[in-house]
Amino acid sequence: MKKLIILFFAFLSLLLPSCQDNSPARSIPPPVIPIPPPVDPPPSTNPLDKLPKDTGGLHNAVALGTDNSPYGYYLYTPSGYTSTGARFPLLVFLHGSGQIGNSQNNPAELNDILFAGPPYLIQQHRWAPKYPMIVASAQCHEGSWDPMKVKQFIEFIRSSYQVDTLRVYMTGLSMGGSGTFDQLTLYGADAHLAAAVPISGGGNLTTEKAKNASSVPLWSFNGNDDLTVLPDFSKSLVKAINDLSPAVRAKITMYPGVGHDAWTETYDSTGIGKEDPAYDAFGMDIYSWMLQYSR
């Protein structure tokens, strides 16, 4: 009997290998992980994102005496502008002394303000700020910019066109830079400006003027070698404003080796990265910088 049991297990051991599955191992597919549907980004809270894109607007000359403006002017309205539609940011531009003219006597003189700055870029089809803007470029017909008339011009444009009155900005070059400084230093918050960029401008500094100017975000541009309008005023005003700890720190950018014309490379942004590192960096275009601010 014992021999039979031994023979049975020996026979069984011979059968077991033949029962094994020698087929190739089958791979187990990875688990299917469901991909969630795309989620729409949250709606923008920036009202500028709701404005119609500017694909090229109208740039019209309005001679002195045509309406109630104290100055003749060029007005740019974005492609999406209508007299009853969306309200757009406004940029007011003041030219330099070389573009003085009286369009009431000679309408052709109004074209002189197309010499530089935003009106030049618009006329050259190089105007492309991130968000659409109305641009009002006034022409001085007197010896210099009269601060009260400039203020009246701002108020006239604000009330006559579809302007977002919380987003009114000003810039100017040379004599226009000084005119821009005047609006800040004389009127401060009463100038109804959300930000300003004077270029190659000057003025006279007092404690009261610095206090007035501290209420409006300011970014001044100058050439280090400017002998026409020394940059000392810009430097002193910016320092005096910042000593008052304003809500928005005033800035000044200087170009090494540049004289009076600090405006060309500022308005077209080609001066980005060329500034004097001892002063504020030119790291974004001035239009985007201004549009950050509202009243």
Side-chain angles (χ1 to χ4, degrees):
M1 185 65 181
K2 186 176 181 180
K3 289 182 179 181
L4 288 175
I5 294 173
I6 293 172
L7 289 172
F8 172 77
F9 281 106
F11 176 73
L12 186 60
S13 66
L14 292 174
L15 291 177
L16 287 175
S18 63
C19 296
Q20 292 178 351
D21 185 359
N22 294 321
S23 61
R26 288 175 294 177
S27 60
I28 300 174
V32 177
I33 301 175
I35 300 175
V39 178
D40 292 334
S44 172
T45 58
N46 185 348
L48 298 177
D49 287 327
K50 299 178 182 179
L51 292 174
K53 300 297 182 184
D54 186 7
T55 58
L58 299 176
H59 201 201
N60 294 322
V62 183
L64 179 63
T66 303
D67 53 26
N68 292 325
S69 168
Y71 295 115
Y73 59 98
Y74 257 92
L75 186 80
Y76 176 78
T77 50
S79 58
Y81 179 90
T82 66
S83 60
T84 58
R87 293 187 174 272
F88 291 83
L90 168 65
L91 177 63
V92 176
F93 169 71
L94 303 182
H95 63 71
S97 60
Q99 291 75 58
I100 292 174
N102 191 323
S103 57
Q104 189 166 27
N105 297 335
N106 182 2
E109 291 187 5
L110 194 55
N111 293 331
D112 290 347
I113 63 176
L114 303 176
F115 166 76
Y120 170 79
L121 295 174
I122 292 168
Q123 205 68 10
Q124 296 295 312
H125 305 290
R126 294 169 55 197
W127 177 247
K130 181 177 180 180
Y131 295 107
M133 308 174 77
I134 297 170
V135 182
S137 305
Q139 183 178 44
C140 180
H141 54 274
E142 302 163 327
S144 60
W145 292 109
D146 181 324
M148 180 59 72
K149 284 187 177 181
V150 171
K151 189 171 185 289
Q152 291 171 353
F153 178 73
I154 297 171
E155 292 170 351
F156 170 80
I157 299 294
R158 287 174 73 238
S159 62
S160 300
Y161 298 95
Q162 289 292 101
V163 171
D164 178 350
T165 57
L166 298 180
R167 296 180 182 274
V168 178
Y169 311 97
M170 174 170 279
T171 185
L173 62 89
S174 190
M175 182 181 83
S178 299
T180 302
F181 275 131
D182 284 343
Q183 290 300 299
L184 304 181
T185 59
L186 296 178
Y187 303 117
D190 290 338
H192 304 297
L193 297 176
V197 178
I199 305 175
S200 302
N204 298 309
L205 181 63
T206 66
T207 302
E208 185 64 23
K209 287 182 176 182
K211 182 179 179 181
N212 288 340
S214 68
S215 63
V216 181
L218 164 69
W219 191 0
S220 178
F221 286 80
N222 300 81
N224 269 339
D225 297 341
D226 189 351
L227 299 179
T228 304
V229 179
L230 297 177
D232 295 353
F233 171 76
S234 296
K235 295 177 182 178
S236 298
L237 177 61
V238 167
K239 182 182 184 304
I241 290 173
N242 289 334
D243 285 346
L244 296 172
S245 300
V248 178
R249 177 182 169 276
K251 303 205 300 180
I252 180 169
T253 294
M254 304 289 298
Y255 295 118
V258 172
H260 192 46
D261 181 4
W263 54 82
T264 297
E265 54 194 331
T266 301
Y267 285 127
D268 67 11
S269 302
T270 57
I272 290 177
K274 299 178 182 179
E275 68 277 12
D276 186 335
Y279 296 88
D280 289 296
F282 189 10
M284 67 187 304
D285 68 88
I286 61 171
Y287 314 106
S288 296
W289 179 80
M290 286 188 281
L291 286 166
Q292 296 178 102
Y293 302 105
S294 63
R295 287 179 52 83

